[in-house]
Each structure stands twice: as C-alpha cells, then as structure tokens.
Amino acid sequence: MVMGSKERVENFNVIVKEVGNQVLFLRKLQPGGSAHSFGIHVAQMAGMPQQVVQRANEIMHHLEKDQSRNQHQTSLQAVPTQNYQLSLFEVDPALAKIKAILNKLEVNTLSPVEALLKLNELKALLSQPTHQPNKV
C-alpha cells in the first residue's frame, strides 16, 4: 500500500526517550513514522532470553554498519551466515550436558590435574557437532 492512499488513515508513533542503552516509551502519540525500530527493546522488556536479545543486537549492528558502508547496493556477502536464528525453546544438547556435569562437580575436592582434565572434557563436548547422524 502506498502512503497516503487511504484518506482516513494516518500514521502515528509512540514518543520514546533513549537513555544510554535503554528506551523509555512515554505513552504519547505523535503524527508520523518512527526514525527507529524498537523491536529488540520490546522483546527485552517482554522477557526474551538475554542470549536472543544479544544476538539480535549483534545482527542489527552488523546490518547497520553494512548499510552505512553500502548505501546504494545491498551486499549479502557481508551478512553473517552462522547461527542467524537462535532457538527460544530448544536447549542445545551439548550445553545441557555440560550444565549437568558442572552441577555434579565438587570443585573443592578436585586436584589441579583433575580440574584440567575436566575442563578438557567440557571443551571437547563443545567442539562436537550439534546434529550427528544416527548410526545404523
């Protein structure tokens, strides 16, 4: 729909005040569109996991940086391809296993060598591929 094509429809936005990294919604409407999107801030206020909010911020900053560098053309090569979407509900099996190991660990009774071996074991769990094919 082209802006202005409906004579009884008007565009308004909520006035916001940005203080550092926080956004305050002032609950007042003003005519016109907003200069920024506050979806990430709203998601954070709604209680989205911090890991999701941080990843969204990383992607947004990367896209903004890319946009300022390439005002007249879109560059898909510059967009990061790894882990673009974080899951909100699925737990990475490797991280769940590491958490279980750490919860059972008696840190005060470990010798320095045992601690290094345990650390090596945890590191190996992280380096395993997350989706391994089923062995038949």
Side-chain angles (χ1 to χ4, degrees):
M1 177 168 83
V2 178
M3 289 294 292
S5 65
K6 303 287 183 186
E7 52 185 72
R8 292 180 46 197
V9 175
E10 293 184 46
N11 191 16
F12 284 85
N13 71 79
V14 176
I15 298 173
V16 297
K17 183 175 183 178
E18 294 183 63
V19 180
N21 288 336
Q22 290 194 336
V23 175
L24 301 172
F25 293 90
L26 301 180
R27 298 181 185 180
K28 292 184 181 181
L29 291 178
Q30 67 182 6
S34 175
H36 302 286
S37 172
F38 297 102
I40 294 173
H41 296 286
V42 172
Q44 186 174 26
M45 290 168 54
M48 281 289 183
Q50 191 60 30
Q51 181 184 15
V52 173
V53 173
Q54 286 174 343
R55 182 66 179 136
N57 270 317
E58 289 171 10
I59 293 169
M60 181 187 68
H61 290 304
H62 184 82
L63 292 173
E64 286 174 347
K65 187 170 129 183
D66 186 52
Q67 183 181 16
S68 67
R69 244 187 292 138
N70 302 309
Q71 283 292 337
H72 300 293
Q73 62 182 191
T74 303
S75 173
L76 294 178
Q77 294 93 1
V79 176
T81 57
Q82 79 285 356
N83 298 331
Y84 217 36
Q85 179 70 42
L86 292 176
S87 173
L88 298 178
F89 305 105
E90 294 177 21
V91 176
D92 184 341
L95 293 178
K97 190 171 184 178
I98 289 170
K99 183 177 179 180
I101 291 169
L102 288 173
N103 282 334
K104 292 178 186 174
L105 196 62
E106 293 292 334
V107 178
N108 293 328
T109 62
L110 288 178
S111 71
V113 172
E114 289 172 325
L116 287 173
L117 290 172
K118 190 56 74 175
L119 187 58
N120 194 41
E121 176 188 341
L122 296 174
K123 186 175 177 184
L125 284 173
L126 281 177
S127 65
Q128 292 176 354
T130 55
H131 297 288
Q132 295 178 350
N134 293 335
K135 294 181 181 177
V136 181

PDB file of all heavy atoms in Angstrom, residues 96-125:
ATOM      1  N   ALA A  96      23.356 -28.537  27.647  1.00  0.00           N
ATOM      2  CA  ALA A  96      22.607 -29.199  28.723  1.00  0.00           C
ATOM      3  C   ALA A  96      23.482 -30.242  29.412  1.00  0.00           C
ATOM      4  O   ALA A  96      23.464 -30.376  30.644  1.00  0.00           O
ATOM      5  CB  ALA A  96      21.341 -29.838  28.162  1.00  0.00           C
ATOM      6  N   LYS A  97      24.279 -30.977  28.622  1.00  0.00           N
ATOM      7  CA  LYS A  97      25.162 -31.990  29.185  1.00  0.00           C
ATOM      8  C   LYS A  97      26.264 -31.336  30.035  1.00  0.00           C
ATOM      9  O   LYS A  97      26.578 -31.806  31.134  1.00  0.00           O
ATOM     10  CB  LYS A  97      25.781 -32.819  28.060  1.00  0.00           C
ATOM     11  CG  LYS A  97      26.508 -34.042  28.530  1.00  0.00           C
ATOM     12  CD  LYS A  97      26.910 -34.920  27.351  1.00  0.00           C
ATOM     13  CE  LYS A  97      27.561 -36.196  27.831  1.00  0.00           C
ATOM     14  NZ  LYS A  97      27.907 -37.086  26.742  1.00  0.00           N
ATOM     15  N   ILE A  98      26.813 -30.235  29.540  1.00  0.00           N
ATOM     16  CA  ILE A  98      27.848 -29.508  30.275  1.00  0.00           C
ATOM     17  C   ILE A  98      27.279 -28.975  31.587  1.00  0.00           C
ATOM     18  O   ILE A  98      27.923 -29.066  32.640  1.00  0.00           O
ATOM     19  CB  ILE A  98      28.440 -28.374  29.414  1.00  0.00           C
ATOM     20  CG1 ILE A  98      29.286 -28.982  28.286  1.00  0.00           C
ATOM     21  CG2 ILE A  98      29.257 -27.401  30.250  1.00  0.00           C
ATOM     22  CD1 ILE A  98      29.725 -28.001  27.247  1.00  0.00           C
ATOM     23  N   LYS A  99      26.076 -28.446  31.535  1.00  0.00           N
ATOM     24  CA  LYS A  99      25.444 -27.941  32.759  1.00  0.00           C
ATOM     25  C   LYS A  99      25.262 -29.059  33.779  1.00  0.00           C
ATOM     26  O   LYS A  99      25.531 -28.875  34.973  1.00  0.00           O
ATOM     27  CB  LYS A  99      24.099 -27.304  32.416  1.00  0.00           C
ATOM     28  CG  LYS A  99      23.411 -26.688  33.600  1.00  0.00           C
ATOM     29  CD  LYS A  99      22.111 -26.015  33.193  1.00  0.00           C
ATOM     30  CE  LYS A  99      21.426 -25.424  34.412  1.00  0.00           C
ATOM     31  NZ  LYS A  99      20.167 -24.765  34.056  1.00  0.00           N
ATOM     32  N   ALA A 100      24.827 -30.227  33.316  1.00  0.00           N
ATOM     33  CA  ALA A 100      24.637 -31.360  34.227  1.00  0.00           C
ATOM     34  C   ALA A 100      25.964 -31.778  34.857  1.00  0.00           C
ATOM     35  O   ALA A 100      26.031 -32.051  36.055  1.00  0.00           O
ATOM     36  CB  ALA A 100      24.005 -32.524  33.472  1.00  0.00           C
ATOM     37  N   ILE A 101      27.015 -31.814  34.053  1.00  0.00           N
ATOM     38  CA  ILE A 101      28.343 -32.193  34.563  1.00  0.00           C
ATOM     39  C   ILE A 101      28.809 -31.183  35.606  1.00  0.00           C
ATOM     40  O   ILE A 101      29.292 -31.548  36.680  1.00  0.00           O
ATOM     41  CB  ILE A 101      29.364 -32.309  33.406  1.00  0.00           C
ATOM     42  CG1 ILE A 101      29.029 -33.520  32.528  1.00  0.00           C
ATOM     43  CG2 ILE A 101      30.787 -32.398  33.935  1.00  0.00           C
ATOM     44  CD1 ILE A 101      29.811 -33.584  31.224  1.00  0.00           C
ATOM     45  N   LEU A 102      28.645 -29.896  35.299  1.00  0.00           N
ATOM     46  CA  LEU A 102      29.086 -28.859  36.231  1.00  0.00           C
ATOM     47  C   LEU A 102      28.279 -28.875  37.535  1.00  0.00           C
ATOM     48  O   LEU A 102      28.830 -28.638  38.613  1.00  0.00           O
ATOM     49  CB  LEU A 102      28.994 -27.481  35.574  1.00  0.00           C
ATOM     50  CG  LEU A 102      30.041 -27.197  34.492  1.00  0.00           C
ATOM     51  CD1 LEU A 102      29.746 -25.880  33.795  1.00  0.00           C
ATOM     52  CD2 LEU A 102      31.443 -27.196  35.082  1.00  0.00           C
ATOM     53  N   ASN A 103      26.994 -29.164  37.431  1.00  0.00           N
ATOM     54  CA  ASN A 103      26.169 -29.219  38.638  1.00  0.00           C
ATOM     55  C   ASN A 103      26.584 -30.360  39.573  1.00  0.00           C
ATOM     56  O   ASN A 103      26.444 -30.246  40.788  1.00  0.00           O
ATOM     57  CB  ASN A 103      24.684 -29.348  38.275  1.00  0.00           C
ATOM     58  CG  ASN A 103      24.098 -28.024  37.845  1.00  0.00           C
ATOM     59  OD1 ASN A 103      24.563 -26.966  38.229  1.00  0.00           O
ATOM     60  ND2 ASN A 103      23.072 -28.091  37.018  1.00  0.00           N
ATOM     61  N   LYS A 104      27.089 -31.453  39.019  1.00  0.00           N
ATOM     62  CA  LYS A 104      27.506 -32.608  39.827  1.00  0.00           C
ATOM     63  C   LYS A 104      28.942 -32.464  40.340  1.00  0.00           C
ATOM     64  O   LYS A 104      29.353 -33.196  41.227  1.00  0.00           O
ATOM     65  CB  LYS A 104      27.415 -33.892  39.005  1.00  0.00           C
ATOM     66  CG  LYS A 104      26.006 -34.302  38.656  1.00  0.00           C
ATOM     67  CD  LYS A 104      26.015 -35.549  37.801  1.00  0.00           C
ATOM     68  CE  LYS A 104      24.633 -35.900  37.303  1.00  0.00           C
ATOM     69  NZ  LYS A 104      24.658 -37.026  36.363  1.00  0.00           N
ATOM     70  N   LEU A 105      29.680 -31.535  39.779  1.00  0.00           N
ATOM     71  CA  LEU A 105      31.105 -31.402  40.076  1.00  0.00           C
ATOM     72  C   LEU A 105      31.346 -30.822  41.473  1.00  0.00           C
ATOM     73  O   LEU A 105      30.763 -29.811  41.851  1.00  0.00           O
ATOM     74  CB  LEU A 105      31.739 -30.495  39.017  1.00  0.00           C
ATOM     75  CG  LEU A 105      33.234 -30.501  38.879  1.00  0.00           C
ATOM     76  CD1 LEU A 105      33.738 -31.873  38.490  1.00  0.00           C
ATOM     77  CD2 LEU A 105      33.643 -29.490  37.816  1.00  0.00           C
ATOM     78  N   GLU A 106      32.196 -31.475  42.229  1.00  0.00           N
ATOM     79  CA  GLU A 106      32.619 -30.969  43.535  1.00  0.00           C
ATOM     80  C   GLU A 106      33.938 -30.218  43.340  1.00  0.00           C
ATOM     81  O   GLU A 106      35.014 -30.799  43.415  1.00  0.00           O
ATOM     82  CB  GLU A 106      32.797 -32.128  44.523  1.00  0.00           C
ATOM     83  CG  GLU A 106      31.517 -32.842  44.884  1.00  0.00           C
ATOM     84  CD  GLU A 106      30.581 -31.976  45.713  1.00  0.00           C
ATOM     85  OE1 GLU A 106      31.059 -31.051  46.412  1.00  0.00           O
ATOM     86  OE2 GLU A 106      29.364 -32.204  45.637  1.00  0.00           O
ATOM     87  N   VAL A 107      33.858 -28.938  43.096  1.00  0.00           N
ATOM     88  CA  VAL A 107      35.020 -28.126  42.747  1.00  0.00           C
ATOM     89  C   VAL A 107      36.078 -28.139  43.845  1.00  0.00           C
ATOM     90  O   VAL A 107      37.284 -28.197  43.566  1.00  0.00           O
ATOM     91  CB  VAL A 107      34.584 -26.676  42.422  1.00  0.00           C
ATOM     92  CG1 VAL A 107      35.786 -25.805  42.108  1.00  0.00           C
ATOM     93  CG2 VAL A 107      33.612 -26.658  41.269  1.00  0.00           C
ATOM     94  N   ASN A 108      35.653 -28.107  45.078  1.00  0.00           N
ATOM     95  CA  ASN A 108      36.598 -28.011  46.186  1.00  0.00           C
ATOM     96  C   ASN A 108      37.402 -29.288  46.413  1.00  0.00           C
ATOM     97  O   ASN A 108      38.404 -29.271  47.132  1.00  0.00           O
ATOM     98  CB  ASN A 108      35.870 -27.628  47.475  1.00  0.00           C
ATOM     99  CG  ASN A 108      35.314 -26.223  47.390  1.00  0.00           C
ATOM    100  OD1 ASN A 108      35.885 -25.355  46.736  1.00  0.00           O
ATOM    101  ND2 ASN A 108      34.187 -26.009  48.035  1.00  0.00           N
ATOM    102  N   THR A 109      36.995 -30.394  45.821  1.00  0.00           N
ATOM    103  CA  THR A 109      37.718 -31.654  46.033  1.00  0.00           C
ATOM    104  C   THR A 109      38.583 -32.038  44.836  1.00  0.00           C
ATOM    105  O   THR A 109      39.273 -33.043  44.882  1.00  0.00           O
ATOM    106  CB  THR A 109      36.730 -32.805  46.329  1.00  0.00           C
ATOM    107  OG1 THR A 109      35.873 -32.981  45.196  1.00  0.00           O
ATOM    108  CG2 THR A 109      35.920 -32.509  47.575  1.00  0.00           C
ATOM    109  N   LEU A 110      38.547 -31.253  43.766  1.00  0.00           N
ATOM    110  CA  LEU A 110      39.342 -31.568  42.576  1.00  0.00           C
ATOM    111  C   LEU A 110      40.798 -31.172  42.756  1.00  0.00           C
ATOM    112  O   LEU A 110      41.093 -30.091  43.276  1.00  0.00           O
ATOM    113  CB  LEU A 110      38.810 -30.822  41.348  1.00  0.00           C
ATOM    114  CG  LEU A 110      37.487 -31.265  40.743  1.00  0.00           C
ATOM    115  CD1 LEU A 110      37.125 -30.353  39.579  1.00  0.00           C
ATOM    116  CD2 LEU A 110      37.558 -32.701  40.267  1.00  0.00           C
ATOM    117  N   SER A 111      41.683 -32.043  42.283  1.00  0.00           N
ATOM    118  CA  SER A 111      43.095 -31.659  42.240  1.00  0.00           C
ATOM    119  C   SER A 111      43.284 -30.782  40.997  1.00  0.00           C
ATOM    120  O   SER A 111      42.443 -30.785  40.093  1.00  0.00           O
ATOM    121  CB  SER A 111      43.977 -32.904  42.137  1.00  0.00           C
ATOM    122  OG  SER A 111      43.850 -33.483  40.850  1.00  0.00           O
ATOM    123  N   PRO A 112      44.373 -30.060  40.905  1.00  0.00           N
ATOM    124  CA  PRO A 112      44.614 -29.245  39.708  1.00  0.00           C
ATOM    125  C   PRO A 112      44.607 -30.072  38.422  1.00  0.00           C
ATOM    126  O   PRO A 112      44.056 -29.649  37.415  1.00  0.00           O
ATOM    127  CB  PRO A 112      45.985 -28.616  39.971  1.00  0.00           C
ATOM    128  CG  PRO A 112      46.090 -28.558  41.462  1.00  0.00           C
ATOM    129  CD  PRO A 112      45.374 -29.793  41.939  1.00  0.00           C
ATOM    130  N   VAL A 113      45.167 -31.254  38.456  1.00  0.00           N
ATOM    131  CA  VAL A 113      45.202 -32.107  37.262  1.00  0.00           C
ATOM    132  C   VAL A 113      43.792 -32.558  36.906  1.00  0.00           C
ATOM    133  O   VAL A 113      43.397 -32.546  35.735  1.00  0.00           O
ATOM    134  CB  VAL A 113      46.138 -33.320  37.476  1.00  0.00           C
ATOM    135  CG1 VAL A 113      46.024 -34.301  36.329  1.00  0.00           C
ATOM    136  CG2 VAL A 113      47.587 -32.846  37.631  1.00  0.00           C
ATOM    137  N   GLU A 114      43.002 -32.961  37.905  1.00  0.00           N
ATOM    138  CA  GLU A 114      41.617 -33.369  37.649  1.00  0.00           C
ATOM    139  C   GLU A 114      40.798 -32.214  37.073  1.00  0.00           C
ATOM    140  O   GLU A 114      39.983 -32.412  36.174  1.00  0.00           O
ATOM    141  CB  GLU A 114      40.963 -33.863  38.948  1.00  0.00           C
ATOM    142  CG  GLU A 114      41.482 -35.194  39.448  1.00  0.00           C
ATOM    143  CD  GLU A 114      40.940 -35.538  40.823  1.00  0.00           C
ATOM    144  OE1 GLU A 114      40.757 -34.620  41.652  1.00  0.00           O
ATOM    145  OE2 GLU A 114      40.704 -36.732  41.064  1.00  0.00           O
ATOM    146  N   ALA A 115      41.058 -31.013  37.575  1.00  0.00           N
ATOM    147  CA  ALA A 115      40.350 -29.834  37.064  1.00  0.00           C
ATOM    148  C   ALA A 115      40.681 -29.595  35.597  1.00  0.00           C
ATOM    149  O   ALA A 115      39.799 -29.310  34.788  1.00  0.00           O
ATOM    150  CB  ALA A 115      40.696 -28.611  37.903  1.00  0.00           C
ATOM    151  N   LEU A 116      41.956 -29.719  35.243  1.00  0.00           N
ATOM    152  CA  LEU A 116      42.363 -29.541  33.839  1.00  0.00           C
ATOM    153  C   LEU A 116      41.757 -30.625  32.953  1.00  0.00           C
ATOM    154  O   LEU A 116      41.314 -30.344  31.831  1.00  0.00           O
ATOM    155  CB  LEU A 116      43.885 -29.542  33.723  1.00  0.00           C
ATOM    156  CG  LEU A 116      44.584 -28.286  34.251  1.00  0.00           C
ATOM    157  CD1 LEU A 116      46.091 -28.491  34.239  1.00  0.00           C
ATOM    158  CD2 LEU A 116      44.197 -27.078  33.419  1.00  0.00           C
ATOM    159  N   LEU A 117      41.718 -31.861  33.434  1.00  0.00           N
ATOM    160  CA  LEU A 117      41.111 -32.942  32.656  1.00  0.00           C
ATOM    161  C   LEU A 117      39.617 -32.698  32.463  1.00  0.00           C
ATOM    162  O   LEU A 117      39.074 -32.928  31.370  1.00  0.00           O
ATOM    163  CB  LEU A 117      41.352 -34.291  33.339  1.00  0.00           C
ATOM    164  CG  LEU A 117      42.791 -34.792  33.310  1.00  0.00           C
ATOM    165  CD1 LEU A 117      42.944 -36.038  34.193  1.00  0.00           C
ATOM    166  CD2 LEU A 117      43.243 -35.084  31.888  1.00  0.00           C
ATOM    167  N   LYS A 118      38.939 -32.238  33.506  1.00  0.00           N
ATOM    168  CA  LYS A 118      37.501 -31.958  33.414  1.00  0.00           C
ATOM    169  C   LYS A 118      37.254 -30.808  32.445  1.00  0.00           C
ATOM    170  O   LYS A 118      36.333 -30.846  31.637  1.00  0.00           O
ATOM    171  CB  LYS A 118      36.937 -31.628  34.796  1.00  0.00           C
ATOM    172  CG  LYS A 118      35.436 -31.550  34.857  1.00  0.00           C
ATOM    173  CD  LYS A 118      34.724 -32.796  34.378  1.00  0.00           C
ATOM    174  CE  LYS A 118      34.820 -33.931  35.361  1.00  0.00           C
ATOM    175  NZ  LYS A 118      34.017 -35.110  34.958  1.00  0.00           N
ATOM    176  N   LEU A 119      38.095 -29.786  32.511  1.00  0.00           N
ATOM    177  CA  LEU A 119      37.982 -28.657  31.591  1.00  0.00           C
ATOM    178  C   LEU A 119      38.172 -29.110  30.149  1.00  0.00           C
ATOM    179  O   LEU A 119      37.438 -28.688  29.247  1.00  0.00           O
ATOM    180  CB  LEU A 119      39.009 -27.585  31.962  1.00  0.00           C
ATOM    181  CG  LEU A 119      38.945 -26.262  31.233  1.00  0.00           C
ATOM    182  CD1 LEU A 119      37.596 -25.606  31.408  1.00  0.00           C
ATOM    183  CD2 LEU A 119      40.040 -25.341  31.736  1.00  0.00           C
ATOM    184  N   ASN A 120      39.120 -30.000  29.917  1.00  0.00           N
ATOM    185  CA  ASN A 120      39.365 -30.539  28.583  1.00  0.00           C
ATOM    186  C   ASN A 120      38.146 -31.333  28.102  1.00  0.00           C
ATOM    187  O   ASN A 120      37.759 -31.256  26.934  1.00  0.00           O
ATOM    188  CB  ASN A 120      40.622 -31.402  28.584  1.00  0.00           C
ATOM    189  CG  ASN A 120      41.104 -31.698  27.187  1.00  0.00           C
ATOM    190  OD1 ASN A 120      41.088 -30.824  26.323  1.00  0.00           O
ATOM    191  ND2 ASN A 120      41.524 -32.931  26.958  1.00  0.00           N
ATOM    192  N   GLU A 121      37.544 -32.095  29.006  1.00  0.00           N
ATOM    193  CA  GLU A 121      36.338 -32.865  28.666  1.00  0.00           C
ATOM    194  C   GLU A 121      35.195 -31.935  28.259  1.00  0.00           C
ATOM    195  O   GLU A 121      34.498 -32.177  27.264  1.00  0.00           O
ATOM    196  CB  GLU A 121      35.922 -33.710  29.881  1.00  0.00           C
ATOM    197  CG  GLU A 121      34.636 -34.477  29.697  1.00  0.00           C
ATOM    198  CD  GLU A 121      34.175 -35.149  30.992  1.00  0.00           C
ATOM    199  OE1 GLU A 121      34.991 -35.340  31.918  1.00  0.00           O
ATOM    200  OE2 GLU A 121      32.974 -35.464  31.075  1.00  0.00           O
ATOM    201  N   LEU A 122      34.999 -30.861  29.002  1.00  0.00           N
ATOM    202  CA  LEU A 122      33.933 -29.911  28.691  1.00  0.00           C
ATOM    203  C   LEU A 122      34.185 -29.203  27.358  1.00  0.00           C
ATOM    204  O   LEU A 122      33.276 -29.000  26.557  1.00  0.00           O
ATOM    205  CB  LEU A 122      33.788 -28.889  29.816  1.00  0.00           C
ATOM    206  CG  LEU A 122      33.354 -29.450  31.173  1.00  0.00           C
ATOM    207  CD1 LEU A 122      33.398 -28.365  32.236  1.00  0.00           C
ATOM    208  CD2 LEU A 122      31.985 -30.084  31.089  1.00  0.00           C
ATOM    209  N   LYS A 123      35.432 -28.875  27.128  1.00  0.00           N
ATOM    210  CA  LYS A 123      35.802 -28.232  25.863  1.00  0.00           C
ATOM    211  C   LYS A 123      35.536 -29.171  24.687  1.00  0.00           C
ATOM    212  O   LYS A 123      35.038 -28.750  23.649  1.00  0.00           O
ATOM    213  CB  LYS A 123      37.272 -27.814  25.900  1.00  0.00           C
ATOM    214  CG  LYS A 123      37.704 -27.020  24.706  1.00  0.00           C
ATOM    215  CD  LYS A 123      39.128 -26.545  24.852  1.00  0.00           C
ATOM    216  CE  LYS A 123      39.564 -25.816  23.602  1.00  0.00           C
ATOM    217  NZ  LYS A 123      40.962 -25.416  23.671  1.00  0.00           N
ATOM    218  N   ALA A 124      35.826 -30.448  24.853  1.00  0.00           N
ATOM    219  CA  ALA A 124      35.576 -31.428  23.797  1.00  0.00           C
ATOM    220  C   ALA A 124      34.081 -31.543  23.513  1.00  0.00           C
ATOM    221  O   ALA A 124      33.679 -31.694  22.347  1.00  0.00           O
ATOM    222  CB  ALA A 124      36.152 -32.791  24.194  1.00  0.00           C
ATOM    223  N   LEU A 125      33.250 -31.463  24.546  1.00  0.00           N
ATOM    224  CA  LEU A 125      31.802 -31.522  24.338  1.00  0.00           C
ATOM    225  C   LEU A 125      31.314 -30.344  23.494  1.00  0.00           C
ATOM    226  O   LEU A 125      30.422 -30.491  22.660  1.00  0.00           O
ATOM    227  CB  LEU A 125      31.068 -31.524  25.681  1.00  0.00           C
ATOM    228  CG  LEU A 125      31.086 -32.827  26.459  1.00  0.00           C
ATOM    229  CD1 LEU A 125      30.473 -32.631  27.841  1.00  0.00           C
ATOM    230  CD2 LEU A 125      30.337 -33.914  25.707  1.00  0.00           C
TER     231      LEU A 125
END
